[in-house]
Amino acid sequence: MKDEQIKNTILEFIDLLMPELTPYESSLYLFFLRNTFFKNNSSQVRIGFRIIGRGFGQGPKSKMPADKTIQNNIKQLEEKSCIVIGDTTREGTLYTLRLPHEIPLVIEKIKSSQESVNTEVDDYFNNPEKRKELFKRDNYTCVYCGEKVTSENSTLDHLFPQWKGGTHSKDNLKTACLTCNSIKSGKSYEEAAPLLLKRIQDKKDKNS
């Protein structure tokens, strides 16, 4: 994970996910986050209860055995769709961690926030006539790769992603071809820039 992604993930956890978790669940989620995305840049980790216990601990007020406490909290995280529990081998159980913005209860919060924001601004995304205004503004040209688009294959991309609070305002919407929109989808421009530049270079190499 890059520094900006780590920052965004922590903010999403604090602002959106943590209020929905118990202190134990929050601690365990952070333990998994540290040992997946932050440590290995992967959503998965195979680990046993003993190792989790060393890193997570039982907690001073718990009267249950540490492994039982951990097991119960892992089950709660699974029920809240924060993790997916896979198979178990001698090396431990395979866990897949979902980032905050991938978790249904957080998605619902983001959606509600967006709906509230979008009612306060002109909606240039869902209004057909206003969409045409933006295509004309951008001269029916993808702002990312410079490729000409038509009324049939043109799309509007949210420069600041919706899940991060990006609105349907005209300043946040840019004309994009289908390919660039697919690459950019859900990412900030800074996150998508290397992939978009690679697409442009690949096009040049193909045409040369």
Side-chain angles (χ1 to χ4, degrees):
M1 265 190 169
K2 296 181 179 179
D3 291 344
E4 187 66 23
Q5 292 174 307
I6 291 174
K7 176 183 175 181
N8 289 337
T9 297
I10 292 174
L11 289 176
E12 290 161 11
F13 171 77
I14 294 172
D15 295 340
L16 301 172
L17 181 58
M18 193 165 70
E20 307 299 327
L21 305 178
T22 67
Y24 264 126
E25 292 165 2
S26 294
S27 297
L28 189 55
Y29 182 88
L30 289 174
F31 171 83
F32 279 119
L33 183 61
R34 180 185 183 278
N35 286 278
T36 53
F37 290 97
F38 288 2
K39 186 176 181 179
N40 299 319
N41 199 28
S42 168
S43 63
Q44 296 185 325
V45 62
R46 186 177 293 280
I47 196 169
F49 280 136
R50 288 186 179 180
I51 297 177
I52 295 176
R54 292 180 197 142
F56 171 61
Q58 177 182 355
K61 296 183 180 180
S62 177
K63 296 181 180 180
M64 293 184 291
D67 59 345
K68 187 67 174 178
T69 302
I70 294 167
Q71 188 175 10
N72 287 342
N73 279 278
I74 287 176
K75 187 66 178 175
Q76 290 299 315
L77 287 179
E78 182 186 37
E79 290 178 359
K80 293 179 180 180
S81 299
C82 297
I83 60 172
V84 177
I85 301 175
D87 65 295
T88 299
T89 66
R90 290 182 178 180
E91 288 73 35
T93 300
L94 181 67
Y95 299 99
T96 301
L97 185 75
R98 288 180 174 147
L99 292 174
H101 67 267
E102 299 172 323
I103 298 171
L105 58 88
V106 173
I107 292 173
E108 191 59 35
K109 280 187 174 184
I110 294 171
K111 183 179 178 182
S112 298
S113 175
Q114 289 169 352
E115 289 175 350
S116 176
V117 170
N118 284 326
T119 58
E120 301 174 4
V121 299
D122 286 336
D123 186 347
Y124 277 78
F125 188 74
N126 294 302
N127 186 310
E129 292 304 315
K130 289 182 179 292
R131 287 175 69 89
K132 288 181 182 178
E133 286 183 34
L134 299 188
F135 293 141
K136 290 179 181 178
R137 177 199 66 187
D138 297 332
N139 196 29
Y140 282 92
T141 302
C142 175
V143 299
Y144 300 120
C145 71
E147 183 177 291
K148 282 288 187 178
V149 296
T150 67
S151 56
E152 285 73 32
N153 66 9
S154 55
T155 68
L156 288 176
D157 175 70
H158 291 80
L159 189 63
F160 193 69
Q162 292 187 77
W163 68 268
K164 291 185 178 181
T167 69
H168 296 334
S169 65
K170 63 181 179 181
D171 292 334
N172 193 49
L173 294 169
K174 305 296 179 183
T175 299
C177 67
L178 289 170
T179 302
C180 285
N181 198 342
S182 177
I183 293 172
K184 169 71 170 50
S185 180
K187 305 179 187 69
S188 67
Y189 178 75
E190 290 75 14
E191 292 168 338
L195 299 174
L196 292 168
L197 289 172
K198 184 179 184 302
R199 162 169 160 69
I200 294 171
Q201 186 59 52
D202 288 345
K203 281 181 63 180
K204 288 181 179 178
D205 293 343
K206 184 177 181 181
N207 295 328
S208 60

